[in-house]
Amino acid sequence: MGRRAFTLCIMTAGAALLAGCGAGAPKELNGLWASGPAACEAGLGVRFSDGAVSAHVDGAEQVLLEAPRYDLERRGTRVRVRIDYAPPGGRRASPVRGVLVLERGDDGWLNAVTHRLEDSRTGGVQMRLRDDAMARIFRLRPCGEDAWIEGLRGRQR
């Protein structure tokens, strides 16, 4: 094998490793997230996993974001997570990647704060500002005990 072929082989292997790398889904996003208590009770919502961000509807799973790479930018009550992803239906090796930043506020709601598509070939960036479906989809709260009870002081268990 010539030097040029060897270098190309090493670069390809390195790119393949990097494409699969990245932190898995942060524990702050564990479980089912939904837009309301009825959706939680029915098991309808969004799950964040290492392989995909998926919507769970009527016992079926629909991939929303493929090959996510999570970057936990801030921990605590106001957690902030950046998710780099392959657009759904696209090829994982596509030069177009999506970047979605989610933030959980003091009120417990997880919201999309920025969303953009980046093209590594051209350097072009498409910002989603108005009528972005991601802003509607990613307005969620975690499902679980007392997740939807707010403002009650002194309640007993």
Side-chain angles (χ1 to χ4, degrees):
M1 179 184 299
R3 173 176 261 179
R4 186 174 196 174
F6 179 75
T7 302
L8 180 60
C9 183
I10 294 298
M11 289 174 61
T12 303
L17 284 173
L18 286 175
C21 289
K27 67 177 187 216
E28 288 84 352
L29 297 179
N30 281 350
L32 184 68
W33 291 72
S35 59
C40 283
E41 288 179 27
L44 307 175
V46 173
R47 288 192 188 274
F48 299 87
S49 69
D50 295 349
V53 176
S54 314
H56 293 262
V57 180
D58 296 329
E61 181 178 318
Q62 176 67 44
V63 173
L64 299 172
L65 309 177
E66 292 181 1
R69 288 182 297 180
Y70 300 92
D71 180 21
L72 189 58
E73 295 179 347
R74 185 172 47 220
R75 294 184 184 277
T77 305
R78 295 188 58 87
V79 69
R80 187 179 182 106
V81 179
R82 173 186 162 130
I83 305 172
D84 289 69
Y85 67 93
R91 299 181 326 268
R92 288 180 184 234
S94 170
V96 177
R97 295 284 296 172
V99 178
L100 176 66
V101 177
L102 302 174
E103 184 174 276
R104 184 179 63 208
D106 292 332
D107 59 0
W109 284 95
L110 187 67
N111 292 295
V113 291
T114 64
H115 180 225
R116 65 184 181 273
L117 297 175
E118 301 173 347
D119 188 331
S120 64
R121 291 174 303 183
T122 65
V125 175
Q126 179 182 9
M127 298 292 290
R128 304 287 182 127
L129 298 174
R130 283 192 188 183
D131 302 321
D132 185 7
M134 293 293 185
R136 289 189 306 274
I137 292 169
F138 291 98
R139 173 133 174 86
L140 307 165
R141 288 192 72 175
C143 293
E145 188 178 330
D146 296 340
W148 299 94
I149 297 174
E150 293 183 32
L152 300 177
R153 294 182 177 257
R155 62 176 192 242
Q156 297 179 2
R157 290 191 172 254

